[in-house]
Amino acid sequence: MAEPEVNLDLAIEHGLLEDEYNRILKILGRTPTYTELGIFSVMWSEHCSYKNSIKQIKTLPRSGGKLLVSAGEENAGLVDIGDNLAVAFKIESHNHPSAVEPYQGAATGVGGILRDIFTMGARPIASLNSLRFGLINSFDGKNEKNNLIEHTKYLFKNVVKGIGDYGNCFGVPTISGEVYFEECYQDNPLVNAMAVGIVKHNETASATAKGKGNPVFLIGSSTGKDGIHGATFASEEISEKSESKRPSVQVGDPFTEKLLLEATLEAIRSGVIVGIQDMGAAGITCSSSEMSAKGECGMYINLDLVPLRDENMIPYEIMLSESQERMLAVVEKGKEEIAKQIFEKWDLNCVEIGKVLDEKNIKIYHKGKLVADIPAFELVLGGGAPVYTRESKEPAYIKSKRNFDLNSVREPTDYTDVLKKLLSSPNIANKNWVYEQYDTQVRTNTYIMPGGDASVLRIKKTNKALSMKTDCNSKYVFLNPYKGGMIAVCESARNVVCTGALPLAITNCLNFGNPYNPENYFQFSESIRGIGDACRKLKTPVTGGNVSFYNQSQEYAVFPTPVIGMLGLIEDYKKTVTSNFKNENDLIFILGDNKGEIGGSEYLNTIHNLIKGDAPDINLDSEKNLYGAVLELIDRGFINSAHDVSDGGVGVALAECCIINKNFPIGCEINFDYGKLRKDFSLFGESQSRIIISANKKFEKDILAICSKYNTSVHNVGIVGDNNLKINSEINIGVEELIDFYFNSIKNIME
Amino acid sequence: MSKAKVGIVVFPGSNCDHDAYYVFKDILKVDTKFLWHKEGNINDRNIIILPGGFSYGDYLRCGAVSAHSNLMNDVIRFANKGGIVIGICNGFQVLCETKLLPGILLRNNNLKFVCKTVSLKVENNKSIFTGYYDIKEDIDIPIAHGEGNYFCDDVTLTELIGNNQVLLRYNDNPNGSIYDIAGIQNLKRNVLGMMPHPERVSDSILGNTDGLRLLQCVAESVM
């Protein structure tokens, strides 16, 4: 392939702005080569440079607490959990690849995030995800567009298969996640993958290049033409032309990744590695420039030494390839043979392609010719990459949605029927159809399986366990970005608290529309403000994450979806609590107050086909008090179950408490004080900061005392027992029937 | 104290190797070591475990490449001399590929990977593997596979049944296996292949220990 002439038009074709191209000319003092243009265009793409988001991101609390590494310093955050152990965790999006090639898009999303974890020396112990699709059913005639439904089912099915096949083969349990279905995700599904790993304090690795003359090795798969400009593709809107971007999607090989994991950990432990970084977006370009910039050095790379799948690749393609399962490592000079032996043992390429230089530029050679010569610092985030603040404007829809008179909604006559519909709506129904396709148990640490609030993994040879969850209610963020951001943090924290875990830190994946649209930018900056306020109050710093803009079709953006991945620590795994009711005659209490808020609720969405009103209120002080109360109740062994009230309100939460352990369902009888609220608002409203607990009657006084100590209101609402869920005179249904609606709904839609 | 010396074969892509190691070494306190497929030496071992996972990525056909590895030649000789071999999940697939066990494992009949705890019936407890169970006892052991649909021809099936080689059967068949077969032994009764993962239900911390009795039975069968 002949290289085209570099000029402004070509730069614009590469997604660069005119100003940006002029800056490149100034930095280099000359016209860039074609290879250099490619390098700048990917490094300054939204995906790699965070140019439109970094100013906002920097307002988040990104250090302190138990953080060993501040956000952005390494490939993933690192949190101290005691016992000389640290947890590395991070979430990342793979939305656009999954929109055009769902199986490989999702699989390589998982692969990429796993590499981020083990490149730090941590062994991955869990994989999680957060998924959003268009509608998969025509519930109540809500969506008659059958071909759209079929396409969405195809995406859903293959994304799940891609996530499963990659994680299952790699040998990491996929233990938790969330899946939502809304029309706004029809053209642009969201596929966010999270990974969690464990490392001893003294066995971590850094993504830094240093030491003049140290050799640079390329490890793992050969480099091919796949995934060229993947990062650029991620930085533009989905359109009809996107189908043609299918070659931008990488192809995953979980088997090679598994070998790469074992070999990388072995090499890091052997002490020969100076620095190592995985190759994700922008391949050799990104890893070489980021490692060099971080180590304040330069790097010489000879592309003739890179193992290729296709001998005819030009330097531009080699530098931009996003072929998967590769790492770039700086090895201590003189220890090359030890490194090579380790990688050869695992049948992996381990080829010296360059050296660390005692200067500031990365110098790329091909067939004896210098094809790129760029100061590394100028390429990277925090260095010369552009930083913008975009215009922000409150979207017009917000006021009109908020002014909607919620009391105009028709009051239902058959509450049992409403509950059945809610439990079988794909947003609420159990996701067993999904998680049974994932290996949830490999490595034999899974202490609480998926399906409940958060999943829990014990840590072998300690008393500790980790609780983790991904969460975001994007309807709330859509209606009120600030409150929605706060609630996303609180809900994920509440989930881990319900298992008995202290929330430690978060990672976030910020999925938004085109940032050049002021309304989208308002959603973005406001929800970040909400996340920041919640994280400061709850003392859960942000360890890192990912921003994904341009999630939209030509007509509309997705709901703003800042997904939170929460990590919680349980000091004694024996004190872990699950969400299901367990014993006949246990008393049932609801902690927190019911305000009958149905704005943005699943009830309004599923039963009335409306996404209107305001997001529920959230008081961070009440929220924090609630955690104090529940954690002490669990620590002192007073309660037998804890489950948070979320989508579908108290009605759905109580039903889940009865049936979430479908092998041991049990009923309950509830006498609920509606107060002055409408019955439907009371039963299905989604007021925040509420947790349902059950306990032996003998602990009633202790429970009341602890709740009072934490200034948390507590309501005795009923008793566990029998085979029916009975709520006042409104609802009476057998638990077996509930199980059928809740556990079989998605399977019935998909098969 | 058991005289068992367990060797856990590690192929590239094995991923339940650590789990089996943990049960033998840390729970049963048995002499246990990993055997890397390129250089492992099985001579001082008296029980060989072929663990679950995706050996060689399962890219050609599950277990097909591993069946031809150097170490498997040693394992075949070991088994033919009466040595105890257990293949779990991918290990079962390898055993079928080597013909140490008859039949083959096809894709699950619903064509999906499935991971969940299933109920098994102990069909025969007169074996070095299932001796600690009651006959017809129901036990709960998880499965995690995409290709666990056991199949063999009618003649083989009649032989398996007639010779009491069928040890474990599914109570609610999750994958389409013929005769609900979950685990079989060879005619000489020293080789077991099973799709469910006993090593995943062997630690009391995680609740269920239905799998431990199988692994313990084998370990204690070596005097």
Side-chain angles (χ1 to χ4, degrees), chain B residues 170-196:
Chain B
Y170 299 110
N171 282 321
D172 184 8
N173 194 333
N175 53 28
S177 289
I178 195 167
Y179 193 60
D180 304 324
I181 283 176
I184 57 171
Q185 61 180 349
N186 65 344
L187 200 52
K188 283 165 77 178
R189 284 155 168 66
N190 60 319
V191 177
L192 163 72
M194 63 189 291
M195 288 314 294

Side-chain angles (χ1 to χ4, degrees), chain B:
Chain B
M1 185 65 193
S2 167
K3 297 254 176 62
K5 291 181 186 301
V6 176
I8 293 166
V9 176
V10 183
F11 297 112
S14 295
N15 63 31
C16 302
D17 45 348
H18 287 89
D19 303 348
Y21 183 90
Y22 179 74
V23 176
F24 282 108
K25 180 83 173 179
D26 294 303
I27 296 177
L28 293 172
K29 314 284 183 201
V30 164
D31 176 350
T32 307
K33 69 177 189 188
F34 289 116
L35 303 171
W36 177 239
H37 74 115
K38 285 183 187 170
E39 59 201 18
N41 183 342
I42 66 171
N43 291 338
D44 68 336
R45 304 287 99 189
N46 51 30
I47 296 174
I48 297 295
I49 306 291
L50 304 176
F54 291 72
S55 57
Y56 294 94
D58 279 349
Y59 283 146
L60 178 59
R61 195 172 60 240
C62 295
V65 181
S66 318
H68 295 282
S69 78
N70 285 340
L71 191 62
M72 271 317 291
N73 291 330
D74 296 345
V75 172
I76 292 167
R77 275 194 295 277
F78 172 83
N80 287 337
K81 281 193 267 174
I84 299 169
V85 179
I86 301 179
I88 298 166
C89 198
N90 191 234
F92 187 11
Q93 294 160 346
V94 175
L95 288 173
C96 289
E97 286 288 335
T98 60
K99 308 287 181 214
L100 281 171
L101 289 172
I104 194 80
L105 292 143
L106 307 174
R107 285 189 73 185
N108 296 347
N109 58 351
N110 69 1
L111 303 182
K112 282 192 310 191
F113 185 95
V114 57
C115 174
K116 62 179 180 185
T117 297
V118 296
S119 173
L120 305 174
K121 196 169 290 299
V122 178
E123 189 74 4
N124 171 3
N125 67 347
K126 295 193 172 49
S127 80
I128 57 168
F129 309 106
T130 52
Y132 289 177
Y133 298 118
D134 293 331
I135 186 79
K136 299 292 176 193
E137 182 179 346
D138 289 330
I139 55 175
D140 290 334
I141 298 189
I143 54 168
H145 58 246
E147 291 164 68
N149 178 359
Y150 183 78
F151 181 77
C152 61
D153 60 40
D154 290 345
V155 178
T156 308
L157 182 61
T158 309
E159 283 173 9
L160 284 173
I161 297 168
N163 296 324
N164 295 318
Q165 287 173 256
V166 180
L167 299 184
L168 300 166
R169 294 177 70 198
Y170 299 110
N171 282 321
D172 184 8
N173 194 333
N175 53 28
S177 289
I178 195 167
Y179 193 60
D180 304 324
I181 283 176
I184 57 171
Q185 61 180 349
N186 65 344
L187 200 52
K188 283 165 77 178
R189 284 155 168 66
N190 60 319
V191 177
L192 163 72
M194 63 189 291
M195 288 314 294
H197 287 268
E199 79 281 10
R200 293 186 179 191
V201 277
S202 291
D203 188 348
S204 57
I205 290 171
L206 300 178
N208 179 0
T209 53
D210 280 354
L212 184 65
R213 283 184 284 164
L214 188 144
L215 301 176
Q216 190 173 8
C217 186
V218 181
E220 292 176 358
S221 74
V222 183
M223 303 308 279

Side-chain angles (χ1 to χ4, degrees), chain A residues 672-713:
Chain A
F672 199 63
D673 180 9
Y674 296 128
K676 290 179 180 160
L677 301 170
R678 258 174 66 162
K679 287 177 191 169
D680 53 342
F681 289 17
S682 195
L683 283 172
F684 306 117
E686 298 178 5
S687 289
Q688 296 295 298
S689 313
R690 290 185 295 164
I691 290 178
I692 298 174
I693 60 170
S694 68
N696 190 298
K697 190 169 174 23
K698 69 183 177 191
F699 295 126
E700 184 173 5
K701 271 190 184 155
D702 298 298
I703 290 169
L704 298 181
I706 287 174
C707 288
S708 158
K709 177 176 147 191
Y710 287 95
N711 211 6
T712 294
S713 63

Side-chain angles (χ1 to χ4, degrees), chain A residues 541-596:
Chain A
V542 182
T543 64
N546 165 237
V547 179
S548 172
F549 282 132
Y550 306 98
N551 290 293
Q552 58 184 94
S553 63
Q554 278 159 328
E555 286 140 49
Y556 51 87
V558 299
F559 284 170
T561 314
V563 174
I564 305 297
M566 177 65 73
L567 179 76
L569 178 66
I570 299 168
E571 289 290 343
D572 181 356
Y573 67 82
K574 290 192 207 76
K575 290 184 175 171
T576 301
V577 160
T578 51
S579 52
N580 58 306
F581 292 150
K582 297 183 180 65
N583 309 314
E584 294 260 345
N585 299 320
D586 272 1
L587 298 183
I588 300 167
F589 301 90
I590 300 179
L591 276 55
D593 289 320
N594 187 3
K595 299 174 205 151

Side-chain angles (χ1 to χ4, degrees), chain A residues 76-96:
Chain A
L78 205 57
V79 181
D80 183 20
I81 57 162
D83 288 337
N84 195 37
L85 295 173
V87 174
F89 72 118
K90 191 180 181 190
I91 189 166
E92 226 170 48
S93 64
H94 234 211
N95 303 337
H96 286 185

Side-chain angles (χ1 to χ4, degrees), chain A residues 14 33 37 123 157 212 241 262 281 290 334 343 467 573 614 628 630 687 742:
Chain A
H14 275 68
T33 66
L37 181 71
R123 179 177 282 279
K157 185 176 160 186
K212 181 188 173 188
K241 284 185 288 184
E262 300 296 346
E290 286 189 354
F343 289 97
S467 181
Y573 67 82
D614 193 357
V630 171
S687 289
Y742 184 64

